[in-house]
Amino acid sequence: MERYLDHVVRRDLQHKMVFLTGPRQVGKTTLSQQLVAELGGQYLNHDVAQDRNLIVNQRWNPRAPLLVLDEIHKMRDWKAWLKGVYDGKPPAQQLLVTGSARLDTFRQGGESLAGRFFGWRLHPLSVREWCTQTGASPDAALTHLLERGGFPEPCLADSQEQAERWRRQYFDGLVRDDVLEFSRIQEVNAIRLFAQLLRQRVGSPLSLASIARDLGVAPTTLKKYLDILEALYIVFVVRPWHDNIARAVLQTPKVYFFDTGLVEGDDGIRFENLVATALLKHVQWQHDAQGREVQLHYIRTKDGAEVDFAISEKNQLTHLIECKLGDDRPHRALKRFAEQHPRTAAVQVVRDLRHSFETQGIEIRRADEWLVALDA
């Protein structure tokens, strides 16, 4: 399966080293191995003992047109090591570094890699990408992704049962194996329970203090656990928008899962999570491909008025987005914020809607048509 980043990674490899990150099993290895097959080269995974020996001793083929190094952030002082590899490699050799954890999380090395790489984040399949891959209609693609989530294996599985078996193993493996990169073995069960609780709190402002009381741990401990789940691309955090950035960071976040199939909730919550993943992919594509300073937020006031999502660029609101399953009446809070920010596009995305239309300055859009038009 050709992914939406194939062509840009191939292009950027001609100029610099490329970092490709994203959730485990989102397709990084497949993309890398397809490039190796196309360009010729060598793929080495630090998690594999034999490959790890070759990596540590730098005994790969120096004439390989493309060298792929996977999971090397697990090495001590990997940044300084990688800087030396990049600076000393043959001029014609291309270098691709992949990982299932956020490489900007790791601080083992003091050496800077600035100016030596392009960074890309690979996301699960979106409505747009599934339509491109399969020729499905936008409505069929949206229905499929709501049922299966956006990861390639469950999307392509022959049955829903196979998809659910994959998901159970995937979730258990993430918590059991990957969390140990960041935490002590004694904390794995606590993080597993915390992650399980988050599956039931998608889309709601997250009170770590309340959950901490339920679990009998300190809120600072849960904050560390949330950072771990973020770093491993299991969840992502959407923070409230405020024109004062410091205040926005301190306010209550909302949490969503990269895999919509992990969400435990009604159809409305699953739909909101899918829209969140699509918007994050859209925003990060604009950041990675175009260098734009775009961010994803939500809006909530002290009197309880809330809009599901907002997009800002250079700290200026550009879009307001509200998700609804079937309600085509303009959402009260969306109308309120649209009036306060008249230069901001206000959209109510409706899952079950016969026709898109505009009223009172708000676009009421069919979800399938709107999602397929996003950038990635």
Side-chain angles (χ1 to χ4, degrees), residues 255-274:
V255 172
Y256 297 92
F257 280 79
F258 279 92
D259 179 12
T260 295
L262 286 173
V263 176
E264 294 183 352
D266 59 25
D267 290 345
I269 295 300
R270 290 172 63 86
F271 175 56
E272 183 179 331
N273 193 95
L274 185 144

Side-chain angles (χ1 to χ4, degrees), residues 85-265:
V85 168
Y86 179 77
D87 291 346
K89 73 178 182 60
Q93 187 175 66
Q94 299 176 356
L95 182 57
L96 175 61
V97 178
T98 65
S100 57
R102 280 169 38 191
L103 298 183
D104 60 356
T105 301
F106 296 88
R107 305 297 181 193
Q108 297 98 318
E111 293 289 345
S112 172
L113 293 168
R116 292 174 169 82
F117 73 95
F118 291 116
W120 291 97
R121 289 164 284 194
L122 184 63
H123 284 259
L125 294 156
S126 58
V127 169
R128 174 172 181 162
E129 194 176 5
W130 187 250
C131 290
T132 301
Q133 292 289 342
T134 67
S137 69
D139 184 63
L142 176 54
T143 299
H144 187 76
L145 293 176
L146 282 169
E147 180 181 86
R148 299 289 186 88
F151 281 67
E153 188 167 341
C155 262
L156 297 168
D158 292 333
S159 68
Q160 181 66 12
E161 286 184 356
Q162 289 185 15
E164 288 303 324
R165 290 177 63 189
W166 172 88
R167 181 159 291 110
R168 186 165 51 251
Q169 294 174 349
Y170 175 77
F171 183 71
D172 289 345
L174 280 174
V175 177
R176 182 185 63 248
D177 300 330
D178 289 2
V179 163
L180 289 177
E181 294 179 36
F182 293 83
S183 188
R184 299 170 299 174
I185 192 169
Q186 297 92 332
E187 295 182 302
V188 170
N189 286 337
I191 296 175
R192 182 196 306 274
L193 179 58
F194 179 51
Q196 186 65 45
L197 288 174
L198 291 180
R199 295 174 68 179
Q200 304 163 15
R201 288 169 167 78
V202 166
S204 299
L206 186 66
S207 172
L208 292 180
S210 175
I211 299 176
R213 286 193 297 270
D214 293 341
L215 296 181
V217 298
T220 53
T221 300
L222 286 191
K223 176 62 170 63
K224 184 183 79 168
Y225 292 173
L226 183 59
D227 289 344
I228 291 172
L229 296 175
E230 275 194 274
L232 291 173
Y233 291 103
I234 299 172
V235 304
F236 59 96
V237 167
V238 177
R239 299 191 181 279
W241 180 82
H242 196 282
D243 52 10
N244 182 312
I245 296 176
R247 282 185 60 184
V249 170
L250 293 174
Q251 292 178 21
T252 305
K254 296 199 294 186
V255 172
Y256 297 92
F257 280 79
F258 279 92
D259 179 12
T260 295
L262 286 173
V263 176
E264 294 183 352

Side-chain angles (χ1 to χ4, degrees), residues 76-85 108-113:
R76 183 183 296 275
D77 296 328
W78 69 274
K79 288 184 180 179
W81 180 90
L82 184 59
K83 178 178 180 292
V85 168
Q108 297 98 318
E111 293 289 345
S112 172
L113 293 168

